[in-house]
Amino acid sequence: MASYLWVLPALGLYALFTLVPLASGVWLALLRWDGIAPAEFVGLQNFERMLRDERLASALWHNVQYALGTVAGKIVLSLGLALLLHRSLRGRAVYRTALFLPVVMSFVVVGILWTWIYNDDFGLVNNLLRSVGLGGLAQDWLGDTRVALWALIAVDIWKWYGFHMVIFLAGLQTIPTELYEAARLDGASRWRQLTSITLPLLRPVMLVNVTLSLLGAMNVFDIPYVMTEGGPANSTNVVALHVYLQAFKFNRLGYGSALSYAIFLLITVIALVQLRLLSRNTAEY
Amino acid sequence: MAVIADAVAPRPGRKRLDRLVTGVLSHLVLAIFALIVVYPVAWMVFASLKDQTDLLGNIWGLPRSWAWRNYGDAWRTAGLGRALANSIFVSLATVVLVVAIAAPAGYALAKFRLRYATAIFLVFVLTMQAPVPVIPLYVLLVRLHMTDSYVGYILPLAAGGLPLAVFVFRAFFLTIPRELEEAAVVDGSTRLGAFLRVVMPVSTPAVATVAILQFLAAWNEYFLALILIRSPELRTLPLAIQVFFFDWGRTDWGPIFAALSVGSIPMIVVYVLMQRRFVQGLTAGAVKG
């Protein structure tokens, strides 16, 4: 029994502040409660209410776009850069240090910085576009309902592409060079080597990178809250922001709890499906 | 074989030129994407030293005005001194707490023959990816009268970091040879004595990984702080900076950039000094075996 004392502090703290809330949230989801007046048991009404919640539907759709945009952007960019960096030895450490830098900055700092970078008149983006003669593309990035969400997606990609690149690099280093030598002897082109050796053998790290960016996209809160507060006209409202507003601005703790559970289940299902898709016929060598 | 390879390969001169061109092109692409990352950060620091006319008129260049006043303004209006102290205190406290309780737990799970070791380990691993249940956590902390306090923020923050820390420690302790502790026990040490005097001193890599992950997570944490902290004097840097931005941001940008710089430069300096450990620790933390 004394041996369990070694585990007890960690398990106790974790149980109290994560497992207990995780479990008690189920009960909370069945209540109508503003946190002050006595709570009223309403059964599954909170879940029914979700079906009629138009803001929720649009927020979910924004999360889907956010996920598609960030996952595609991060994977393509980081894989491309990793492939380049893997081959060029000189200056590798410098590039890696530089590209990894935004990982250590908070989303609050990054979000505020980019709010100014996107500024219509004085921001870097529009000034860059004007100075290279593309002034026609300059616009109010965060003020236009059609582009605001994509402007936020770009910031998320900016913060993480160096991080995913390092993970891809680690994966590339595990591929035996003899495979490429053999392929060259057989006259395989660069492209053929990429599609027949590199990409199949990168499947495990690809899985890690896709899962991490997908989870990040489904839970995103800081960037839209700090940069646009969900606007303009709700065009950047995402699920986590919707939950936050319902629970802590409108004091609907029961509904907020039901929402977060539904979303949690949805994310778990997506993650499992994707895990199956990506881990199927993992290459062996 | 060699004959075939020679026949397929292009002439040597052409090959060298090809390699030179692709080399230059890769460096060009890498440099552009590195610049896209680094320039805005450097620009943030320049902008923190520009006055309003400089900021609006001299967008790309170095500051002409060197407006150190921005830092004074931000420091006073946003309460940055207090926020900086709070962030350092909260981050260090969670690091100490997490290392102190996750290391023995990881050790027991790796080395003792515990009947429920697998079950306990699975509890940590399976819930690791679950998002923090903020609403019930908030309700719980209200019941415990712990909202808007250091303890009520530090404990949940440490709890959130525990699964990964236990995971890292367990994986590390599995690699330590049993003879090491056995020798210490033979010398008359208790199991706890062997752990503290023999095992922990050789575990710096694991401690460093956990400490970096936890410190960075706590330093940049914002969502829980937003929900749990009400009093201005308890605000951590991300919260203080966000409040300052919402209240002042749309008008006076120099002090905003000063606040952003105060919020990120300490971490950037530590990162540059210890970048190998940072990169290894953070990617190892993400991949989790």
Side-chain angles (χ1 to χ4, degrees):
Chain A
M1 265 328 276
S3 303
Y4 283 98
L5 286 179
W6 290 60
V7 192
L8 200 65
L11 201 57
L13 187 69
Y14 190 59
L16 182 58
F17 291 107
T18 305
L19 300 179
V20 167
L22 214 53
S24 69
V26 178
W27 172 244
L28 216 53
L30 306 175
L31 305 177
R32 177 179 298 137
W33 189 34
D34 63 1
I36 302 158
E40 182 195 346
F41 182 84
V42 293
L44 294 177
Q45 269 182 35
N46 284 328
F47 291 90
E48 278 171 52
R49 183 186 179 143
M50 274 177 224
L51 303 176
R52 286 173 279 119
D53 189 340
E54 278 168 25
R55 284 247 169 120
L56 174 66
S58 81
L60 255 178
W61 171 232
H62 295 146
N63 273 94
V64 170
Q65 293 175 68
Y66 201 92
L68 290 174
T70 50
V71 172
K74 286 175 189 177
I75 298 296
V76 169
L77 253 182
S78 62
L79 180 60
L81 291 171
L83 289 170
L84 289 181
L85 200 55
H86 186 57
R87 288 193 12 218
S88 63
L89 286 166
R90 214 171 293 166
R92 183 192 283 189
V94 177
Y95 287 127
R96 201 187 56 175
T97 309
L99 288 161
F100 198 80
L101 174 71
V103 175
V104 306
M105 298 169 73
S106 79
F107 261 136
V108 171
V109 169
V110 168
I112 296 172
L113 175 60
W114 276 85
T115 307
W116 181 253
I117 292 178
Y118 280 136
N119 184 285
D120 201 3
D121 300 315
F122 309 107
L124 293 183
V125 175
N126 282 351
N127 271 279
L128 182 66
L129 288 172
R130 287 186 194 116
S131 64
V132 296
L134 291 170
L137 292 175
Q139 55 191 299
D140 186 4
W141 299 94
L142 298 178
D144 185 329
T145 53
R146 284 162 309 171
V147 291
L149 186 67
W150 295 92
L152 303 191
I153 289 170
V155 176
D156 206 316
I157 297 172
W158 178 85
K159 187 173 191 284
W160 292 108
Y161 68 76
F163 173 80
H164 293 292
M165 181 197 76
V166 172
I167 296 181
F168 273 129
L169 266 179
L172 284 171
Q173 272 151 13
T174 64
I175 302 178
T177 46
E178 299 87 60
L179 288 177
Y180 294 104
E181 282 158 21
R184 264 199 297 277
L185 280 179
D186 291 344
S189 65
R190 277 265 162 71
W191 177 251
R192 191 65 211 279
Q193 291 173 33
L194 179 71
T195 54
S196 305
I197 302 173
T198 313
L199 290 181
L201 290 179
L202 277 183
R203 236 169 213 273
V205 280
M206 180 71 85
L207 183 68
V208 168
N209 277 335
V210 172
T211 309
L212 285 176
S213 27
L214 196 67
L215 284 173
M218 295 314 284
N219 291 317
V220 63
F221 173 83
D222 297 3
I223 287 193
Y225 183 69
V226 170
M227 293 183 71
T228 55
E229 291 178 78
N234 278 318
S235 62
T236 58
N237 190 32
V238 288
V239 173
L241 196 57
H242 186 61
V243 174
Y244 169 77
L245 293 177
Q246 288 295 323
F248 297 105
K249 278 267 147 62
F250 308 124
N251 298 318
R252 292 171 189 149
L253 293 174
Y255 185 53
S257 214
L259 271 175
S260 33
Y261 264 93
I263 302 313
F264 177 51
L265 284 181
L266 188 71
I267 293 173
T268 313
V269 171
I270 294 173
L272 287 177
V273 169
Q274 179 226 342
L275 216 70
R276 284 202 66 127
L277 286 179
L278 273 168
S279 60
R280 195 183 293 161
N281 54 52
T282 302
E284 302 271 346
Y285 59 86
Chain B
M1 280 303 260
V3 179
I4 300 169
D6 279 344
V8 173
R11 290 195 310 280
R14 164 103 196 275
K15 201 173 168 185
R16 205 173 302 143
L17 186 70
D18 270 4
R19 198 170 292 165
L20 187 72
V21 170
T22 44
V24 169
L25 278 178
S26 340
H27 275 288
L28 193 68
V29 174
L30 283 165
I32 288 172
F33 280 97
L35 199 67
I36 290 175
V37 162
V38 174
Y39 183 75
V41 181
W43 181 86
M44 168 186 83
V45 181
F46 298 156
S48 75
L49 292 166
K50 291 177 178 176
D51 61 24
Q52 194 79 357
T53 38
D54 208 5
L55 200 59
L56 305 185
N58 164 31
I59 288 170
W60 295 93
L62 289 167
R64 288 195 207 107
S65 44
W66 299 98
W68 292 102
R69 185 182 62 79
N70 288 338
Y71 281 85
D73 288 354
W75 199 266
R76 275 188 306 277
T77 322
L80 282 187
R82 182 65 190 244
L84 187 64
N86 285 340
S87 271
I88 292 171
F89 172 64
V90 165
S91 306
L92 285 180
T94 60
V95 168
V96 170
L97 187 60
V98 164
V99 170
I101 67 179
Y107 186 67
L109 293 177
K111 296 280 174 162
F112 300 173
R113 287 198 195 86
L114 296 181
R115 203 166 152 200
Y116 301 106
T118 319
I120 294 172
F121 185 58
L122 277 180
V123 165
F124 283 121
V125 174
L126 290 180
T127 53
M128 187 151 49
Q129 296 288 6
V132 193
V134 263
I135 300 166
L137 176 66
Y138 171 76
V139 172
L140 175 76
L141 289 167
V142 170
R143 293 250 161 85
L144 298 170
H145 301 288
M146 274 165 64
T147 49
D148 203 24
S149 72
Y150 285 115
V151 182
Y153 182 51
I154 289 169
L155 293 183
L157 214 52
L162 274 177
L164 189 53
V166 170
F167 188 96
V168 171
F169 275 122
R170 178 181 169 275
F172 181 81
F173 292 137
L174 282 172
T175 67
I176 287 188
R178 197 160 278 281
E179 293 78 40
L180 195 70
E181 302 111 287
E182 275 165 4
V185 174
V186 168
D187 287 349
S189 283
T190 59
R191 209 154 54 170
L192 182 63
F195 173 69
L196 291 176
R197 277 192 293 275
V198 181
V199 176
M200 282 313 279
V202 298
S203 305
T204 11
V207 173
T209 301
V210 169
I212 286 172
L213 285 169
Q214 187 59 41
F215 192 91
L216 190 64
W219 185 265
N220 287 340
E221 204 288 324
Y222 168 66
F223 187 48
L224 273 181
L226 175 71
I227 288 161
L228 299 178
I229 293 173
R230 292 274 160 271
S231 316
E233 63 271 18
L234 289 184
R235 282 176 193 150
T236 51
L237 275 174
L239 189 58
I241 291 172
Q242 175 260 307
V243 171
F244 183 49
F245 174 61
F246 277 23
D247 292 350
W248 294 81
R250 326 288 172 182
T251 50
D252 203 1
W253 277 85
I256 294 289
F257 288 120
L260 296 184
S261 302
V262 171
S264 49
I265 289 173
M267 209 54 180
I268 291 175
V269 171
V270 177
Y271 161 68
V272 172
L273 292 176
M274 306 171 52
Q275 46 115 349
R276 193 169 288 271
R277 275 202 192 273
F278 260 76
V279 174
Q280 273 166 6
L282 285 163
T283 46
V287 178
K288 293 172 219 141

